[in-house]
Amino acid sequence: MFAISLGDDGAELRPLEPWRAEEFLSHMDRGREFIGRFISLPDLVTDLESARSVLQAYADKAAADTGRIYGIWTGGGLVGGVLFRTMDVRQGTAEAGCWLEPSAAGKGLVTRAIRVIIDWAVEERGIHRVEWQAAAGNTASIAVARRLGMSKDGVLRESYPHRGVRHDVEVWSVLAPEWRAGRRAD
């Protein structure tokens, strides 16, 4: 298995595979309410079977080249993750996403991890457009899109029903030429 360093603080990005279901479930349990404020992942991962099922679905997506999921580890423990929820290599599009447990928030982990997977998608897979969708109230996620140099494409009004409330969703994106120009400027 590989691990990619995310910086001098020892954080690493690794594949999040089905054999890690127990660790994934423990991680979700630690951050369930915090993570679940804006995304449904903790509502899907409620026991070992469902944790394994979610990770297997992403293993199947990786095999089909239609998605990927990676964990973020700090201090030897899983604290969050990033993913390509969807990926269409033929069309050159992908939708990236993330989550973190509370102990890992505010440290730049998601921004660093997303940079790694966008670099891979653009340079290795030929993805032209990477999209980022965030509930309008999820200011931390929107801040990540801004730090990544994404442009706000618009708002999908009340398009995301989550825990009994319909949320507006902001759509952000970066195109491959913009991504490359931004990386050269870093």
Side-chain angles (χ1 to χ4, degrees):
M1 175 187 73
F2 72 85
I4 297 172
S5 172
L6 294 176
D8 294 339
D9 59 0
E12 294 181 328
L13 185 67
R14 304 178 194 163
L16 193 48
E17 299 173 327
W19 63 273
R20 292 197 177 270
E22 203 168 316
E23 185 176 15
F24 184 50
L25 176 61
S26 294
H27 157 63
M28 276 299 138
D29 286 342
R30 285 190 306 272
R32 187 166 304 284
E33 286 311 308
F34 182 80
I35 296 166
R37 292 174 308 152
F38 296 106
I39 66 170
S40 61
L41 187 59
D43 299 339
L44 300 173
V45 178
T46 57
D47 56 23
L48 189 56
E49 181 181 333
S50 60
R52 190 172 290 114
S53 178
V54 166
L55 295 180
Q56 185 61 55
Y58 274 93
D60 294 344
K61 283 184 175 193
D65 207 17
T66 60
R68 299 282 190 290
I69 192 168
Y70 301 94
I72 300 171
W73 275 261
T74 62
L78 178 64
V79 296
V82 295
L83 53 79
F84 285 119
R85 198 181 69 73
T86 62
M87 192 166 80
D88 186 330
V89 175
R90 190 175 62 75
Q91 293 291 323
T93 60
E95 180 193 336
C98 68
W99 73 94
L100 282 174
E101 62 184 63
S103 67
K107 299 176 183 176
L109 294 169
V110 165
T111 302
R112 290 183 271 159
I114 287 287
R115 279 189 180 125
V116 169
I117 70 170
I118 292 176
D119 277 343
W120 172 81
V122 169
E123 301 304 338
E124 299 293 325
R125 300 305 297 127
I127 297 297
H128 179 72
R129 174 189 165 88
V130 177
E131 192 168 281
W132 185 266
Q133 295 189 14
N138 191 346
T139 56
S141 187
I142 292 165
V144 170
R146 285 189 176 109
R147 280 193 298 275
L148 293 169
M150 293 184 165
S151 297
K152 184 176 176 180
D153 295 335
V155 176
L156 304 173
R157 297 178 311 134
E158 295 186 8
S159 69
Y160 176 56
H162 180 61
R163 294 183 173 178
V165 177
R166 296 198 72 83
H167 295 265
D168 291 352
V169 172
E170 292 191 12
V171 179
W172 293 73
S173 68
V174 64
L175 305 179
E178 298 164 342
W179 182 255
R180 289 183 183 111
R183 296 305 281 157
R184 281 192 299 273
D186 286 347

